[in-house]
Amino acid sequence: ITKAATISRAPLQIQRHYDVNNHKEGNFLYEQFLDSNLVYSCGYWLPGDDLKTAQERKIKLILEKLKISENDRVIEIGSGFGHAIMTAAKLTKAECLGITLSKNQLEYSKRKAKELGLDNQVRFELMDWRDLDKKADAVFSIGAIEHFQVRNFSRFFKKLYTILADKTGRACIHSIFSSIPIEKRAKNKWLQEKIFSGGEIPDIKSFITSIEKASLELINMQIIRGKNGYVPTLQAWISNLRKNKNKIVRKFGINLYRRYEMYLAASKSSFEPYSDQNVVQLLI
């Protein structure tokens, strides 16, 4: 059974994965297989794209959907290494906040914002979404909701309702989903124990019922599949990981390297056509 992502347990679950068990050089692992902006989510691929281009296209797609203007307040829930919210700041001049539960990602994002001269426009905080009490005109979240667990969706979307500006507030949630209903799915014990403790892939029904219950309106839903989405993203990550195998093994040992190779390869197969997983962007 997936351990509940309670407010006390969630940081431990996130830090176990994103900080590589609180390794002070945990970021090094991600630098070996992600693109140079360290975007750790599904790209949006068109023919001829490389990994970095596909990631930029995905971020711009989300920002276009949100129609952000320069007086807006923007929040990213689960800001990763900070690239998406910093892109929002650069392109829109809006006031931006990124929240994360990963200490390594927080430090990295703050340093990067300073380097790019964006630190007066973008702030980063170590915070659980349940503690958010700021108002926002636009909210986005890319691949973070898979950590929040379906049992918390009602609470999450109600929280979204309270922080979004009345009438004009909008949110874009980008997430993996499975076409197999959550109650009929076999639990992946290996993934829970070795990679994503507390992670849970939702089904579309869980999103739609929670959005409706929170009095929010779903206005657009885009599904990104197969060769436009996670298949080439994961292929690029696997290639990078294998290319940098020796560096990873020297720092973290062969077991961690093998674990990540297996996790990326298995994930890729679950997004192939006729498998059960795809990516959805919900505009709310």
Side-chain angles (χ1 to χ4, degrees), residues 5 50 94 120 145 159 185 196 207 238:
D50 61 6
N120 59 346
I145 200 163
K159 170 60 84 175
R185 226 178 297 150
F196 279 120
F207 279 119
I238 293 165

Side-chain angles (χ1 to χ4, degrees), residues 16-160:
R16 190 174 159 195
H17 181 77
Y18 295 95
D19 298 351
V20 192
N21 288 332
N22 287 316
H23 196 293
K24 64 180 188 303
E25 290 179 80
N27 290 354
F28 181 85
L29 173 66
Y30 296 101
E31 285 161 358
Q32 303 317 303
F33 71 88
L34 301 179
D35 67 308
S36 59
N37 293 318
L38 300 187
V39 181
Y40 190 23
S41 52
C42 173
Y44 182 41
W45 296 73
L46 292 180
D49 281 354
D50 61 6
L51 180 60
K52 198 171 177 177
T53 311
Q55 295 294 13
E56 291 298 328
R57 182 183 304 231
K58 181 263 310 289
I59 293 166
K60 285 181 181 146
L61 179 69
I62 291 168
L63 298 178
E64 277 160 20
K65 288 177 182 179
L66 289 168
K67 298 189 174 18
I68 296 162
S69 60
E70 63 181 84
N71 297 323
D72 281 348
R73 294 150 304 173
V74 184
I75 297 175
E76 182 179 12
I77 297 175
S79 52
F81 293 99
H83 184 66
I85 193 74
M86 287 189 270
T87 303
K90 267 189 284 198
L91 294 179
T92 66
K93 303 281 181 278
E95 181 194 319
C96 297
L97 167 69
I99 66 165
T100 177
L101 285 174
S102 157
K103 291 173 186 165
N104 288 359
Q105 288 181 341
L106 180 79
E107 277 169 36
Y108 179 92
S109 303
K110 283 182 166 174
R111 194 169 65 242
K112 201 78 184 156
K114 215 179 218 114
E115 271 171 35
L116 297 168
L118 292 167
D119 50 329
N120 59 346
Q121 195 192 338
V122 187
R123 285 184 309 110
F124 290 97
E125 286 183 32
L126 198 68
M127 186 193 283
D128 192 291
W129 58 268
R130 287 164 279 211
D131 291 329
L132 264 174
D133 61 354
K134 296 169 175 63
K135 279 284 186 194
D137 300 285
V139 171
F140 64 93
S141 182
I142 307 174
I145 200 163
E146 297 104 334
H147 294 286
F148 300 168
Q149 299 176 346
V150 169
R151 71 193 85 173
N152 291 316
F153 275 16
S154 241
R155 190 171 172 189
F156 174 75
F157 286 106
K158 281 177 182 150
K159 170 60 84 175
L160 210 49

Side-chain angles (χ1 to χ4, degrees), residues 196-254:
F196 279 120
S197 79
E200 191 170 68
I201 303 297
D203 50 18
I204 289 282
K205 181 177 90 247
S206 306
F207 279 119
I208 292 174
T209 49
S210 309
I211 289 165
E212 285 172 353
K213 268 191 202 141
S215 308
L216 292 162
E217 185 188 4
L218 179 62
I219 54 175
N220 179 284
M221 186 162 93
Q222 179 179 3
I223 290 171
I224 301 171
R225 309 185 62 222
K227 66 179 190 305
N228 295 114
Y230 248 137
V231 172
T233 304
L234 283 155
Q235 188 50 61
W237 291 350
I238 293 165
S239 304
N240 291 342
L241 188 87
R242 287 178 178 154
K243 206 162 56 207
N244 295 315
K245 177 179 179 178
N246 294 340
K247 286 194 230 168
I248 297 167
V249 171
R250 266 201 306 275
K251 198 172 287 283
F252 300 107
I254 188 69

